[in-house]
Amino acid sequence: MGSFILNPLKNFGGNTLVLADEQCDLSGLWRNELGSLMEIHDVNEAGEFSGEYLTAVTATSNCIQNSPLKGAQHHTKAETSPVFGFTVNWEFSNSTTVFVGQCFMDARGNETLKTTWLLREEVGSLGDDWGATRVGTNDFTRELKLVQIPQNHSPQCGTPAPLSP
């Protein structure tokens, strides 16, 4: 694998992440701590990418559908722990989420995407604007099993698809 540099400033919840001389690869299938699945297609030379996101959580009672994502990675060639951002336009609700984050690799070569997100939902009036944006964090780890992201899930869809391994 190569030499690793410990970075004591990258300590998250007791887990020290390290910067490696190998670059994290955003392409592939990822699962967060809530069970949501995300597939990022190949990152092009300009750092742009697209993919699909299937959330495991929602505040709507609608059928949860696979939704498109588009994003960009900063310094695709120079950085070992790239910074990135992407937007998900939810197919099943009048809301959009933007994620920003960084990819880290631990001493064993395991990749983690540390993200912060803002979700904005449509509201009916300016007076309701105060509660229209939520903020949160998610950690994604690479899904090593060959899994295909289902098109939808939830009882409202008629055919729930299990998301947990």
Side-chain angles (χ1 to χ4, degrees):
M1 185 159 285
S3 61
F4 292 87
I5 303 166
L6 287 175
N7 186 341
L9 298 177
K10 303 294 183 202
N11 188 310
F12 300 96
N15 297 322
T16 300
L17 300 175
V18 294
L19 301 177
D21 62 354
E22 293 186 25
Q23 181 175 356
C24 285
D25 181 10
L26 294 183
S27 300
L29 187 62
W30 301 88
R31 182 185 301 269
N32 72 17
E33 69 278 9
L34 301 174
S36 297
L37 291 171
M38 170 177 65
E39 183 174 14
I40 296 176
H41 304 303
D42 290 337
V43 179
N44 70 21
E45 289 294 319
E48 301 162 336
F49 59 88
S50 63
E52 308 167 86
Y53 196 107
L54 184 65
T55 185
V57 296
T58 184
T60 183
S61 60
N62 296 340
C63 172
I64 300 171
Q65 297 175 343
N66 190 343
S67 298
L69 69 83
K70 288 192 180 270
Q73 173 181 315
H74 194 257
H75 294 298
T76 57
K77 301 261 189 245
E79 300 297 320
T80 57
S81 296
V83 174
F84 60 88
F86 61 90
T87 301
V88 179
N89 290 310
W90 303 110
E91 294 285 321
F92 56 89
S93 69
N94 291 333
S95 61
T96 297
T97 303
V98 293
F99 290 79
V100 293
Q102 188 169 0
C103 183
F104 294 97
M105 194 179 296
D106 69 14
R108 289 185 221 111
N110 300 316
E111 297 159 303
T112 299
L113 305 181
K114 299 290 288 185
T115 67
T116 300
W117 52 263
L118 292 170
L119 180 145
R120 175 66 186 213
E121 65 182 329
E122 182 180 356
V123 293
S125 70
L126 183 59
D128 293 330
D129 181 64
W130 67 271
T133 302
R134 298 184 189 112
V135 63
T137 62
N138 285 121
D139 295 346
F140 292 85
T141 54
R142 189 169 297 282
E143 182 68 31
L144 298 177
K145 298 178 196 173
L146 278 178
V147 174
Q148 183 173 359
I149 297 180
Q151 290 302 306
N152 59 55
H153 73 90
S154 75
Q156 296 82 353
C157 300
T159 55
L163 288 181
S164 45

